[in-house]
Amino acid sequence: MTDYLDRLNPEQRAAVETVDGPLLVLAGAGTGKTRVLTTRFAHILLTGRAHPGQVLAVTFTNKAAREMRERVGVLLGRPAEGLWLGTFHALCARMLRRHAALLGLTPTFSILDADDQLRLLKQVMEAASVDLKRWPAPGLMAAIQRWKDRGLVPAAVTPAEDTDFAGGRARPLYAAYQARLLALNACDFGDLLLHVTELLRTNAEVLGQYHRQFRYILVDEYQDTNLVQYLWLRLLAQASGNICCVGDDDQSIYSWRGAEVENILRFEKDFPAARVVRLESNYRSTAPILAAASGLIAHNEGRLGKTLRPGRRDAAGEQVSVVGLWDSDEEARMVGERIEALRRDDGQGGRHGLSEMAILVRAGFQTRAFEERLITLGVPYRIVGGLRFYERAEIRDAIAYARILVQPADDLAFERIVNVPRRGVGDAALRAMHARAREAGIPLLAAAAILLDEGALKGRVRDALRDLLRGLDRWRETLPREGYVVTVATMLDESGYMEMWQRDKSAEAPGRLENLKEFVRALGDFETLQGFLDHVSLVMENEESSEGERVSLMTLHAAKGLEFDTVFLPGWEEGLFPNQRALDEGGNKGLEEERRLAYVGITRARRRAIISHAANRRIYANWQSSIPSRFIEELPSEHVAVTGAARLARDSMLRAPSVFAGQFPLAARRQQTIDVWEMPARPARAASFAVGARVFHQKFGYGTVTAASDNRLDVAFDKAGAKRVLDSFVEPA
DNA sequence: TGACGTCACTTTTTT
DNA sequence: AGTGACGTCA
């Protein structure tokens, strides 16, 4: 019955069994944080302390929520149902729909995505005749979001907290934006938290209801919470005091979007009886990797202090490699070579699966060099992150159609679809509708109907708009009868939206139609259209093309929470990592966050970490030379193996840049350094290649010789096609 | 309404 | 360099 407890180490067990009262679990990387959280959840249920619906479990991402749900289900031996388990936003949306009326919304309010938010804010700013050139809307959007992150409604923004945006008009603009949202019966992401927190703060009855409901609260990735999230948690936990937060201050890498590590310190202050458990036994990585990561992070000040101890029996392992390369192309080549070598053999007679390797970069643009390289080598890879399903234009259009069906007052949705597919409703017509809507204080859709009645519109615009409005009436009518799945599908069809993509001959059109089909299929998974819309705006993700063995390519931020046998950490150069902008904007705090990012990167590795830096990198248009990252020096040298010219480059460039920079013309230097660094050394010029021989070319990858004359070869490359090359540029494959 | 030119931008990103 | 947003012109 309680054998699940036997699988835990003493600290983990303490974290699970300290059920009552506030508990802070400081969980280092790889110390079994998720296991503790899920086991604790199951423990609460299995010991009869609470029913599934009486535990509130909060995560940051949907992925984490899904994982926790699954693992709790496994521990319980049955699928876990009726749980209040989800992201902050999803849980808040659920609460907000219940109490919408108390905040001046209806339960069908729309949730706007980043795109809608910005469009709306722009409209507000235009209406206030703000010069959008001088005061770009994204700047104000960011300020508003930060306010919302801190739980500040417009009235609560004091002058001290104001920005000088648009000559001190930021606050009134924020207020106007909120008013517009309310008028549209809509929320942005930040509002979900803000409104619910505001409600809990001001309405004792609602607060009491949740106090009675939630006996236990569990929080994941606590170091990433922002202030509203903290306030929300504190309000909900203040009655029972049974709140358990799990986090790692050393992995706090999201301060730039409002996360406050200080919440960890605040926790102990607000819950004076709080107990603290540290998880320090790491079961993921080898001893050298842990030593390197610990040594690095020790350079940060103001940590809560945690040491990672190797917890695996087989913790011995190779040192962390640091490799210096001439430029980013060479760096990509080195990584490609190592990947291929690992794929063939891991040194112990085993092979490495590609899905156990990852390349973690600081910034998105770095992936390109690796992609190109992996393509020529024919190594499958996947990019993690990128556009989510619901961010695609066709899905957003489809959602807008569904939204306008549920909520005729949703002007943003109306604007999005009124001329998609093209109906000849241009700016002029839209302006007329806006004018009428504003003076009568009604939604655009209603304004359109009035303009039609009055005969204010002519010709094609009139006919098209009339068709659309009639269609909407009709679909809304069939909705209760046919169900929303059929109705939405019909709507997409009859509105001409599907046809628009069927007629589109561009390369993306078939993919978009596929996505739309998937959209309609997914509609059926929900009981209500509202539920579906919430899912789409809060939860829906790209289904990962996870089939097959692939190298993962992603940013360090995207890698948090993941682990791989082998991790490549390229681009450790001053300016790139630590990132110059982070330094400029965040000063020493910025530097420390960059260092935490480096710590996150290293601790993703189970067995092998390969850090690299290039002396030259093309940034935008021109080449820029750079020196190795200070983080490299901060690694404890006994756990690090430096190869290539890492040491040389750092020393000589720091002490006497001229030696390195001015001695040779660029081309000569490049040649020379490549000769030195390239490994394995290129074989002495091979005699000649026979037709049919397999060859490898640095740029084109693998191929088969189809013709040979003198030193010229015709090669059919597997990926790059047929090329004529000099034989000295290929080697036997 | 669409084509074209100009301009500024280019870290990280969930919901 | 490449992109995307915006404005102007036919």
Side-chain angles (χ1 to χ4, degrees):
Chain A
M1 169 68 179
T2 54
D3 62 335
Y4 57 87
L5 292 174
D6 299 335
R7 290 195 289 266
L8 303 174
N9 70 28
E11 303 110 83
Q12 290 175 333
R13 196 163 166 158
V16 167
E17 291 189 301
T18 309
V19 181
D20 294 305
L23 176 71
L24 183 61
V25 180
L26 296 174
T31 55
K33 176 195 73 162
T34 312
R35 164 173 250 174
V36 162
L37 218 41
T38 52
T39 308
R40 185 183 166 92
F41 198 142
H43 184 66
I44 289 170
L45 300 183
L46 290 170
T47 53
R49 287 179 160 86
H51 300 301
Q54 296 175 318
V55 181
L56 180 69
V58 201
T59 64
F60 261 86
T61 63
N62 295 299
K63 200 171 146 221
R66 214 182 311 125
E67 218 173 281
M68 205 192 294
R69 186 177 296 271
E70 270 165 30
R71 292 178 63 166
V72 169
V74 168
L75 284 167
L76 294 180
R78 60 189 139 83
E81 278 165 26
L83 304 182
W84 277 75
L85 186 165
T87 63
F88 279 102
H89 292 85
L91 292 166
C92 281
R94 190 168 164 188
M95 293 179 173
L96 199 50
R97 296 232 181 263
R98 285 183 164 179
H99 313 291
L102 295 172
L103 289 140
L105 297 163
T106 80
T108 59
F109 67 82
S110 302
I111 298 171
L112 305 186
D113 63 24
D115 224 76
D116 283 334
Q117 291 170 34
L118 196 61
R119 278 198 299 148
L120 186 64
L121 184 63
K122 270 188 194 161
Q123 290 175 8
V124 168
M125 293 171 76
E126 266 161 18
S129 36
V130 173
D131 180 1
L132 285 171
K133 272 265 165 66
R134 201 155 151 232
W135 306 103
L140 182 57
M141 194 76 250
I144 291 176
Q145 271 161 7
R146 289 296 85 85
W147 282 327
K148 290 186 177 181
D149 287 342
R150 292 167 52 213
L152 299 174
V153 295
V157 178
T158 62
E161 278 151 334
D162 207 345
T163 67
D164 53 5
F165 193 92
R169 291 208 283 157
R171 277 192 298 158
L173 287 168
Y174 175 25
Y177 171 72
Q178 290 305 95
R180 275 300 286 157
L181 282 169
L182 206 60
L184 293 176
N185 193 27
C187 282
D188 65 17
F189 287 124
D191 283 339
L192 297 172
L193 263 302
L194 190 68
H195 286 333
V196 174
T197 305
E198 207 49 25
L199 179 65
L200 297 176
R201 190 144 62 181
T202 55
N203 190 315
E205 196 180 319
V206 172
L207 183 63
Q209 176 191 333
Y210 287 112
H211 280 169
R212 285 188 295 281
Q213 181 179 354
F214 297 129
R215 299 205 186 164
Y216 295 93
I217 298 177
L218 303 175
V219 187
D220 190 17
E221 302 282 14
Y222 182 60
Q223 77 285 345
D224 287 338
T225 51
N226 60 35
L227 193 60
V228 225
Q229 288 161 344
Y230 175 76
L231 295 173
W232 183 81
L233 288 169
R234 197 177 65 181
L235 281 160
L236 289 170
Q238 80 197 169
S240 73
N242 295 330
I243 179 169
C244 168
C245 295
V246 182
D248 180 1
D249 53 323
D250 290 333
Q251 293 190 64
S252 157
I253 55 175
Y254 283 115
S255 72
W256 48 274
R257 65 178 197 215
E260 300 191 12
V261 218
E262 293 79 13
N263 285 345
I264 294 186
L265 307 170
R266 223 171 258 146
F267 183 85
E268 292 192 69
K269 216 173 83 192
D270 283 356
F271 297 96
R275 296 224 246 152
V276 179
V277 173
R278 285 182 159 76
L279 304 182
E280 301 181 301
S281 265
N282 174 295
Y283 298 99
R284 176 186 296 158
S285 310
T286 63
I289 288 170
L290 294 179
S294 301
L296 177 72
I297 200 66
H299 287 81
N300 271 6
E301 289 170 9
R303 301 170 57 219
L304 291 175
K306 244 181 306 85
T307 324
L308 287 183
R309 289 190 307 271
R312 318 168 46 122
R313 289 210 195 105
D314 58 343
E318 54 191 80
Q319 292 171 306
V320 171
S321 319
V322 172
V323 190
L325 289 315
W326 173 250
D327 63 17
S328 39
D329 292 340
E330 204 189 34
E331 186 179 52
R333 246 179 279 136
M334 181 278 287
V335 170
E337 273 167 26
R338 295 244 191 160
I339 288 173
E340 293 221 296
L342 284 167
R343 178 147 74 148
R344 285 192 295 269
D345 168 36
D346 72 352
Q348 286 128 40
R351 277 155 185 279
H352 274 282
L354 293 178
S355 48
E356 280 310 329
M357 305 182 205
I359 305 171
L360 310 182
V361 296
R362 173 67 244 258
F365 73 84
Q366 289 174 264
T367 57
R368 228 179 85 186
F370 296 102
E371 279 190 78
E372 281 171 12
R373 195 65 206 138
L374 293 173
I375 287 171
T376 57
L377 291 173
V379 173
Y381 66 91
R382 67 186 180 124
I383 301 243
V384 179
L387 267 199
R388 260 149 291 284
F389 187 75
Y390 67 82
E391 282 169 355
R392 293 158 192 260
E394 67 277 15
I395 299 305
R396 297 183 32 128
D397 288 340
I399 292 168
Y401 269 101
R403 261 165 53 186
I404 195 76
L405 189 68
V406 185
Q407 228 214 139
D410 194 331
D411 286 0
L412 289 162
F414 180 74
E415 267 184 279
R416 188 172 179 100
I417 57 112
V418 69
N419 201 30
V420 179
R422 298 212 176 292
R423 301 187 170 94
V425 181
D427 257 5
L430 200 57
R431 260 200 306 275
M433 287 184 256
H434 263 299
R436 176 51 63 93
R438 204 164 337 119
E439 81 193 28
I442 52 175
L444 284 176
L445 189 60
I450 290 174
L451 289 177
L452 279 174
D453 278 353
E454 292 173 345
L457 298 166
K458 301 257 169 333
R460 217 171 65 177
V461 179
R462 182 195 56 203
D463 296 346
L465 210 50
R466 198 172 47 206
D467 278 357
L468 179 64
L469 294 199
R470 280 184 185 160
L472 283 169
D473 283 342
R474 196 170 60 242
W475 299 317
R476 207 166 287 127
E477 203 176 290
T478 62
L479 184 59
R481 200 158 6 99
E482 312 217 4
Y484 74 89
V485 180
V486 174
T487 305
V488 171
T490 310
M491 179 166 64
L492 291 178
D493 197 33
E494 290 181 357
S495 63
Y497 188 74
M498 294 303 262
E499 194 191 346
M500 178 183 92
W501 289 115
Q502 280 153 6
R503 281 169 184 254
D504 192 314
K505 282 188 277 296
S506 67
E508 307 94 70
R512 293 185 193 271
L513 282 166
E514 266 315 298
N515 288 335
L516 285 164
K517 266 204 255 164
E518 170 63 19
F519 175 86
V520 172
R521 201 204 51 69
L523 275 170
D525 295 344
F526 294 83
E527 281 179 18
T528 63
L529 184 50
Q530 197 54 251
F532 174 75
L533 289 175
D534 276 4
H535 174 78
V536 153
S537 51
L538 293 171
V539 178
M540 203 133 169
E541 294 168 61
N542 256 344
E543 81 260 51
E544 286 176 21
S545 51
S546 55
E547 355 53 89
E549 284 284 311
R550 290 166 186 282
V551 173
S552 298
L553 249 160
M554 69 190 97
T555 63
L556 287 160
H557 283 92
K560 196 166 75 146
L562 306 178
E563 54 181 274
F564 304 89
D565 281 339
T566 303
V567 167
F568 292 93
L569 297 162
W572 282 40
E573 295 133 36
E574 285 294 305
L576 178 58
F577 191 38
N579 185 273
Q580 191 55 49
R581 206 156 140 187
L583 260 38
D584 292 344
E585 287 168 14
N588 193 48
K589 287 212 159 154
L591 172 64
E592 296 211 338
E593 181 148 321
E594 295 286 294
R595 195 178 278 118
R596 290 194 291 269
L597 204 47
Y599 172 82
V600 167
I602 296 174
T603 53
R604 297 310 96 197
R606 292 196 199 99
R607 315 217 59 85
R608 230 177 316 273
I610 298 107
I611 294 166
S612 57
H613 62 91
N616 295 284
R617 186 174 294 279
R618 186 154 57 198
I619 293 187
Y620 311 129
N622 31 8
W623 287 90
Q624 218 177 293
S625 63
S626 42
I627 61 172
S629 169
R630 68 190 79 185
F631 298 152
I632 289 176
E633 273 205 336
E634 293 172 0
L635 298 169
S637 57
E638 63 272 30
H639 299 292
V640 170
V642 179
T643 52
R647 216 179 25 233
L648 170 83
R650 172 129 194 133
D651 291 354
S652 58
M653 292 192 89
L654 277 180
R655 304 226 176 91
S658 58
V659 173
F660 211 75
Q663 201 168 3
F664 311 101
L666 187 75
R669 263 193 296 153
R670 185 189 166 88
Q671 200 47 56
Q672 193 197 17
T673 45
I674 282 178
D675 285 344
V676 174
W677 284 341
E678 208 163 75
M679 28 168 217
R682 183 169 289 162
R685 187 151 154 1
S688 177
F689 294 91
V691 171
R694 290 290 290 170
V695 294
F696 175 78
H697 185 279
Q698 280 290 355
K699 183 149 173 225
F700 303 129
Y702 291 102
T704 307
V705 177
T706 56
S709 62
D710 288 336
N711 57 345
R712 289 173 197 285
L713 303 173
D714 288 321
V715 181
F717 288 103
D718 301 346
K719 304 281 167 186
K723 306 271 182 205
R724 173 163 293 181
V725 297
L726 290 174
D727 64 358
S728 53
F729 284 95
V730 302
E731 48 189 271

